Amino acid sequence: MDMSRSRGRTWSGTVLAVLLTAGALTAAPDARGQAARSETPVVSASPVTGVSESVVRVRVPLPASAGARPAACDWLSYLRYRSTDGPASSADADRVLVAQPGILEGAGAFDSVARNTVALAAGQGRHIEFWALDRRSNCLEDRTGIASGDQHTAVDYYYRGKQAGGRTFGGFLGNERLGWLAKLGIGQTVRDQYDLLAAELPDQGLRKRKVLCGGHSLGGVITGYFAAADFDGDPGTTADAGYQQCAGYFALDTTVSTSLADLSGSIPDDTNLPDVGLGHAAVQAGLDSGVLPRSLSAPVLLNPETMTLLAIAGLGAVRDPDGEADLPRYLPAGLNIEATNRFLFSRDTATFLSGSPAVKDFRLTNEAVLGALMDDHSVPLAFLQSSVGFFDGGPVVDKNFPAANGSSQPTGLYGTEYKAIPERPHGPLYTWRDYDRVGDADDPGHRSADGTPFTNAGKEVTGIQELARSLAEQPLDFTEQYFPTRLVTDLELATSPQVTKLLVHPEGLTANPTLTVLAGDGLLAGRIPADLHPVVADGYQHLDVLTAAAAQNDGRPEPVSTHLALFARSPQ
C-alpha cells in the first residue's frame, strides 16, 4: 500500500490545530520586555522523515513612515526546516539556505523541496537548514478556517460569516484597508531579509560562510536586488552589503538577476516615460492615494477570495482523497467564484459563455478537484502548474479554453502541455491517477483529438498528497493573498532613479557562486540561458521545482533537492 495515501486517509484536523496552539520553543524578550521572537513546532504528515519543522516569528517593526498597520505586520516570519538529529541552533548548522518566494507565493510552497533537501543532506552527513521566507504582507492572512481541519467549516468561515474556533472572519480586505502596502517595494523587501538574517544570525562572518541566498520565480530577482544592496547607507563599507551576507546563490526556475525580462520576455523593465523618476513618482502617488490597487489582484482566481479555495481544496484532498467532492456545490454563489470556476473548468469558449456544463455538474473525487485546479494538463496559468498526475475513472476530451490545444499559445502564460477535461457531466466518478501511477498497466493512456498523448510517466513528478499537504497543512500559506503591487511596479520601473539607487553593489550579483535549477517545461522553457550552465529538471513545471516528490518515476534522484544538497555541501 502507498503509505503516503494511507496517512492521507487517517489525517485529522488535530494536526492543523497544533499549528496554531503549540507552545513556543523560544521567546526572547526585547528591550521593553515583550517577546521579540517565537518558534513553534509544526506537526506534519509528510512521508519524509528525519526533518523537524517550526514556524519562526521575529519582531522587526516597520518604520513609522509606513503608516498604520496591524500589530502582526511588525513581525517577520519563516518556516525553519532542519535535521532532527542536527544542532538546535541555526548558527551551528553546516549551511542555512534562505529562500524568497515567487509572486503570489508564500513560505508553505517550499515544504517539499525543503524537506527533501534537508533529508538528503543528512544522509550525506551534513546538517543543513532551509528557511522558507514569508513576505511581510502575509501577516494579513487568516488561517483559522483552514486550521479547523474541516472543509465545510472552512467554507462557512470564509464565505458565510460563521465562526470557527471562536472567531469570526474579518472579511477579505479591500484596497482602502491596505494603505501601508503602498510602501512595501523592493527596497523594504530586501531590507526585511537583511534584518531577519541579522537578528537570527548576528555574526556577519558566520552569515558569509554559511548562508546560501536564493528563491523561486520572482524570488530570484529579489535575490539579485539583495545581492546588490547596501544596508548601512555607506557604500564604502561592504560588510553590510547584500552579497556579504551569502556564501552563494541559488535560483529555482528563475535567474539571480535584477530584471523581470529574464522571467518573461512579455514583462517590460520600465515604462516609456523620461528616466527622471516621474514614472515611479506617479505610480507611487497612485498607490498612496488608493487610485491604484495596493495588492495585486484580478477578478478571476488571482484574488484573496479565490486563492483561499486552493487551500480548501487541498484540505479536502488530504482528509478524504477518494471521497466524492461536494466543494463545487457547497461553495456559495457569487460572481467572483462563478467566473473563476468557468475560467478553470470550461471545455471551450461556448461552455465558458453559457456556464453549462459547470464544474458542479461533474462527479469528482476530492483529489480530482485539486488536480483540476493545479495540474499542468488542466489549469491554464503556467505559474500555478504542477505535474501531479492525470484524470482517471472516465473519458476525457481536449480542453480548448482559453487556448486551443495544438495552437500557437503564449507558453509563458498557459504553459506547454495539452489540456484535458472530463467529458461526461452527471456521469462516472472521476478519480485522480497520482504521478507515480501514470504509465502503469491499468493506465488508459488518454490522447488528445489529434492523437497526442496527454502525458506520460516522465512528465509527472509531484505527488498530489504532498501538494495537498503543503496547501492545507502549513501555518504559513502556500499562496499569497495580498501581494504588494509596489513590489512589481518597482521592478517594472527598474531604470527609474528611485530603484537604481538600490543597486549600490552591482558586482554583488557575480561575487558568489550560483546554482541555477530550471524546470524543463517551466517559465523559461524554450529559452533556457545556456551561459548560466543550469541544471534542467526534465518534465518539471514551474511549481514542480518546489513540490516534486523525493522518489521520481525514472528511478533517479529528485534533481532539484539533489543539487541543492550538493551545492550546500561544496565549499564556496
Side-chain angles (χ1 to χ4, degrees), residues 100 186 190 213-229 249-264 267 269 487 491 494 499 502-503 505-510 512 514-516 518 524 527 529 531-532:
Q100 279 280 357
I186 186 62
V190 297
C213 305
H216 173 243
S217 192
L218 186 70
V221 180
I222 294 172
T223 300
Y225 273 87
F226 181 82
Y249 311 127
F250 60 93
L252 305 179
D253 207 34
T254 183
T255 60
V256 175
S257 70
T258 56
S259 172
L260 283 177
D262 286 349
L263 288 181
S264 173
I267 300 178
D269 284 312
L487 182 51
L491 300 179
V499 180
L502 301 174
L503 303 177
H505 302 287
E507 71 280 4
L509 275 79
T510 56
N512 296 309
T514 301
L515 170 67
T516 302
L518 301 179
L524 294 174
R527 50 189 183 88
D531 60 314
L532 296 179

Side-chain angles (χ1 to χ4, degrees), residues 38-178:
S38 69
E39 183 167 2
T40 306
V42 175
V43 178
S44 173
S46 171
V48 179
T49 59
V51 178
S52 295
E53 179 190 1
S54 55
V55 58
V56 180
R57 303 184 190 276
V58 180
R59 191 170 189 275
V60 182
L62 283 166
S65 59
R69 66 270 181 189
C73 300
D74 276 334
W75 292 72
L76 298 175
S77 302
Y78 68 95
L79 295 177
R80 179 192 179 199
Y81 298 86
R82 65 182 183 86
S83 173
T84 303
D85 296 330
S89 171
S90 299
D92 295 328
D94 293 309
R95 293 278 191 210
V96 179
L97 283 70
V98 179
Q100 279 280 357
I103 194 168
L104 296 169
E105 189 172 270
F110 289 93
D111 185 60
S112 290
V113 70
R115 292 180 186 279
N116 293 344
T117 303
V118 170
L120 281 171
Q124 300 163 0
R126 302 274 288 178
H127 295 303
I128 70 172
E129 296 197 4
F130 194 112
W131 296 1
L133 304 184
D134 218 32
R135 259 184 290 276
R136 188 185 287 269
S137 54
N138 288 346
C139 63
L140 297 171
E141 296 169 358
D142 181 349
R143 296 282 296 171
T144 304
I146 304 300
S148 72
D150 181 78
Q151 203 173 50
H152 283 186
T153 300
V155 171
D156 289 344
Y157 180 75
Y158 294 114
Y159 304 105
R160 291 194 174 94
K162 295 185 179 181
Q163 284 196 342
R167 296 183 61 181
T168 301
F169 183 49
F172 298 108
L173 303 180
N175 202 43
E176 72 283 355
R177 297 170 64 184
L178 301 174

Side-chain angles (χ1 to χ4, degrees), residues 71 137 182 237 248 317 370 386 400 424 430 442 508:
S137 54
T237 59
L370 181 59
S386 56
N400 291 314
R424 297 179 185 171
Y430 283 88
D442 64 343

Side-chain angles (χ1 to χ4, degrees), residues 152 282 377 450:
H152 283 186
H377 298 100
D450 66 6

Side-chain angles (χ1 to χ4, degrees), residues 217-451:
S217 192
L218 186 70
V221 180
I222 294 172
T223 300
Y225 273 87
F226 181 82
D230 181 87
F231 293 103
D232 72 350
D234 183 357
T237 59
T238 59
D240 64 288
Y243 71 91
Q244 294 283 32
Q245 318 310 310
C246 316
Y249 311 127
F250 60 93
L252 305 179
D253 207 34
T254 183
T255 60
V256 175
S257 70
T258 56
S259 172
L260 283 177
D262 286 349
L263 288 181
S264 173
S266 65
I267 300 178
D269 284 312
D270 52 55
T271 68
N272 293 320
L273 295 173
D275 190 16
V276 293
L278 294 179
H280 191 283
V283 169
Q284 186 62 55
L287 293 171
D288 288 338
S289 66
V291 171
L292 295 177
R294 294 150 172 163
S295 174
L296 202 61
S297 185
V300 176
L301 190 60
L302 306 181
N303 58 72
E305 182 180 359
T306 50
M307 293 292 270
T308 301
L309 290 177
L310 296 177
I312 295 175
L315 186 60
V318 172
R319 287 294 301 273
D320 188 12
D322 297 326
E324 184 168 354
D326 70 347
L327 179 62
R329 291 177 289 279
Y330 193 74
L331 285 168
L335 180 61
N336 196 14
I337 291 176
E338 171 66 18
T340 298
N341 283 339
R342 286 197 192 190
F343 180 75
L344 294 180
F345 210 80
S346 288
R347 174 175 176 173
D348 49 32
T349 302
T351 304
F352 175 75
L353 294 175
S354 69
S356 181
V359 61
K360 61 185 177 182
D361 296 324
F362 292 83
R363 298 180 62 213
L364 306 166
T365 64
N366 286 306
E367 278 193 342
V369 167
L370 181 59
L373 287 171
M374 299 196 69
D375 186 66
D376 56 341
H377 298 100
S378 180
V379 65
L381 300 174
F383 66 90
L384 276 177
Q385 293 175 359
S386 56
S387 306
V388 291
F390 199 74
F391 291 108
D392 208 350
V396 300
V397 292
D398 286 45
K399 182 180 180 182
N400 291 314
F401 180 85
N405 279 339
S407 65
S408 177
Q409 330 177 0
T411 56
L413 177 61
Y414 298 138
T416 58
E417 301 301 312
Y418 274 30
K419 305 298 184 286
I421 192 168
E423 182 180 21
R424 297 179 185 171
H426 314 294
L429 177 64
Y430 283 88
T431 60
W432 192 257
R433 180 170 290 268
D434 205 1
Y435 84 107
D436 57 355
R437 294 182 56 239
V438 170
D440 283 359
D442 64 343
D443 187 347
H446 296 290
R447 291 177 177 267
S448 171
D450 66 6

